[in-house]
Amino acid sequence: MRSIQGSWKSSSLLAASLLVLAACGGSEPQQSAPEAAAPEAAEESVETAEAASEEVADETAEAAEDAADAVEEAATEVEEAANEAVEEAIEAAEDVAEAVTPAADTGVSDEIVAQYAALTGDAAQGRRVFTKCMSCHVVQEGQNRVGPSLYGIIGRDAGSVEGFRYSDANANSGITWTEETMFAYLEQPQRFIPGTIMAFPGLPNPQERADVIAYLKAESS
Ligand code: HEC
């Protein structure tokens, strides 16, 4: 009696086990669904990876382009700054040159300016020197002879005495008759204004030049 009971127990255990197995087996199709989806997912992830890498490549190219643009821009800025600096340096150098050479606009060298500054012109002596000029010039206003009137000549632009027919060389010389340019001119007029029709060899003595300039100044005031 006991053994029958026992075998019933075992068979009901067996049945329960089968039921459990059956239950497990029933869930089998559910487990196989993700397995079937795996290749698709893999494909998708490959595609995603490809898209991502393309995107990264695009972004990298764009970033490289931006960097190149930035480098170019920076180079342009550096170049502009350098040009500006050079221009400023040139301007500064010109300012310095002007400061060092106060007579730069007279068109004569520092040497001549210094030489003239060291001399004192004597108008009375200059009257005698002027006898060398008198065959062609007078100091009376408006009286042109072979050469133009030298009245008020200091401070005038070359070629500007009214009624006198100048050579092109003199008229277009661009010279202003300052004491310094006159001092340089009178040493050797044909060298200072190549092509001038003033047929006078010049005054080689610097003191004579300073004296005649003093005379011309005195006669004009
Ligand atoms: C032989 C004649 C002659 C003698 C001498 C002469 N000159 Fe002249 N001079 C001229 C002539 C001509 C001109 C005009 C030059 C020209 O147009 O190229 C001239 C021009 C000048 C000018 C420039 C005038 C201007 O308006 O641009 C000056 C300054 C001058 N002479 C000063 C003198 C002085 C100072 C002397 C004497 C030391 C002198 N000359 C002696 C004939 C002479």
Side-chain angles (χ1 to χ4, degrees):
M1 204 42 201
R2 235 188 118 84
S3 71
I4 292 167
Q5 231 180 355
S7 75
W8 179 83
K9 253 190 182 171
S10 349
S11 56
S12 54
L13 264 174
L14 185 71
S17 307
L18 281 171
L19 267 174
V20 167
L21 270 176
C24 287
S27 70
E28 231 173 68
Q30 275 174 0
Q31 276 177 344
S32 73
E35 267 167 40
E40 220 173 281
E43 223 169 275
E44 251 171 56
S45 65
V46 166
E47 266 168 40
T48 312
E50 270 173 3
S53 71
E54 249 169 63
E55 212 171 291
V56 166
D58 281 353
E59 271 168 30
T60 309
E62 239 170 78
E65 238 170 80
D66 284 353
D69 281 351
V71 166
E72 211 173 295
E73 221 170 278
T76 311
E77 264 169 45
V78 166
E79 203 184 303
E80 273 171 20
N83 283 345
E84 229 169 88
V86 167
E87 261 168 51
E88 268 171 38
I90 289 171
E91 255 171 58
E94 277 172 357
D95 285 352
V96 168
E98 254 171 60
V100 170
T101 325
D105 58 338
T106 63
V108 299
S109 72
D110 299 355
E111 235 182 350
I112 289 170
V113 171
Q115 192 190 9
Y116 182 70
L119 295 165
T120 305
D122 180 330
Q125 288 297 320
R127 181 187 294 274
R128 286 172 48 201
V129 176
F130 193 70
T131 58
K132 296 181 181 178
C133 320
M134 279 164 68
S135 53
C136 303
H137 294 284
V138 296
V139 289
Q140 281 72 45
E141 193 171 8
Q143 295 194 25
N144 299 325
R145 301 283 188 263
V146 175
S149 164
L150 293 183
Y151 175 83
I153 193 70
I154 305 293
R156 291 191 78 108
D157 286 340
S160 68
V161 172
E162 221 163 285
F164 187 79
R165 284 177 58 94
Y166 290 93
S167 67
D168 287 346
N170 182 300
N172 303 329
S173 64
I175 293 163
T176 298
W177 293 123
T178 62
E179 292 174 45
E180 286 87 0
T181 54
M182 184 75 79
F183 180 72
Y185 169 69
L186 289 178
E187 183 182 10
Q188 228 178 301
Q190 281 97 355
R191 199 182 60 184
F192 201 77
I193 303 182
T196 180
I197 53 171
M198 169 154 132
F200 180 73
L203 300 170
N205 184 331
Q207 185 62 54
E208 278 192 9
R209 298 200 302 275
D211 290 345
V212 82
I213 290 166
Y215 170 70
L216 290 173
K217 274 169 68 183
E219 286 301 304
S220 301
S221 56

